[in-house]
Amino acid sequence: METLMAYVVGVMFAAAVYMMLRRSIVKLVIGLMLLSNAANLLIFTVAGMKQGAPPLIPEGAEAPATAVADPLPQALILTAIVIAFGVLAFSVVLIHRAYEVVGTDDLDQMKDTDT
C-alpha cells in the first residue's frame, strides 16, 4: 500500500509543478494547493499507514495496553490543512483584485502593467 501511495504522491507533485508553470494565475494557485495536498499525503505516508487505537492511557497505567496510532503526523497534517486553507483564501482574494485591476489572469500580461 505504501508503494501505491508513493506513486500517488509523485504524480501529485508532478501535476502541481506542471500547473504552477502555466501562465494563468488561477492555474498557479491550483498547483499550489495540489502541492500542499501532496505534501500532506507524503507526511501521512511516511508516518506509516497502520491502524491503532487512540493514544489514550487508562487511569493508573503508565503505558497504553495496545498499539496506538502516532498522533504527531495527524497534528502536523491538520495544522498544514488549516494553513493551506488560509493561503487559498488569501490568494483567491488577491486573484480577484488583480483581475479587477488588470483585466486578465495571464501572468505575462500582468508584467506589462508595471510602472
Side-chain angles (χ1 to χ4, degrees):
M1 187 66 161
E2 281 87 7
T3 306
L4 174 67
M5 294 302 284
Y7 284 122
V8 170
V9 168
V11 168
M12 286 178 72
F13 272 115
V17 169
Y18 177 78
M19 291 296 284
M20 289 171 48
L21 292 176
R22 303 288 91 204
R23 291 189 329 186
S24 172
I25 195 166
V26 175
K27 291 179 183 176
L28 175 83
V29 171
I30 291 171
L32 185 65
M33 295 289 46
L34 194 57
L35 184 71
S36 172
N37 289 332
N40 290 341
L41 191 58
L42 178 67
I43 293 170
F44 180 71
T45 304
V46 168
M49 299 181 62
K50 53 187 173 242
Q51 295 179 348
L56 302 174
I57 300 175
E59 192 171 329
E62 292 189 16
T66 61
V68 296
D70 188 11
L72 182 63
Q74 296 172 11
L76 288 173
I77 291 171
L78 183 61
T79 304
I81 289 169
V82 171
I83 291 170
F85 181 73
V87 169
L88 175 64
F90 176 74
S91 56
V92 165
V93 171
L94 189 64
I95 288 172
H96 180 19
R97 181 68 180 141
Y99 186 76
E100 282 180 350
V101 171
V102 180
T104 184
D105 71 335
D106 190 357
L107 291 173
D108 289 337
Q109 292 176 359
M110 284 185 178
K111 282 193 287 187
D112 294 339
T113 62
D114 292 342
T115 57

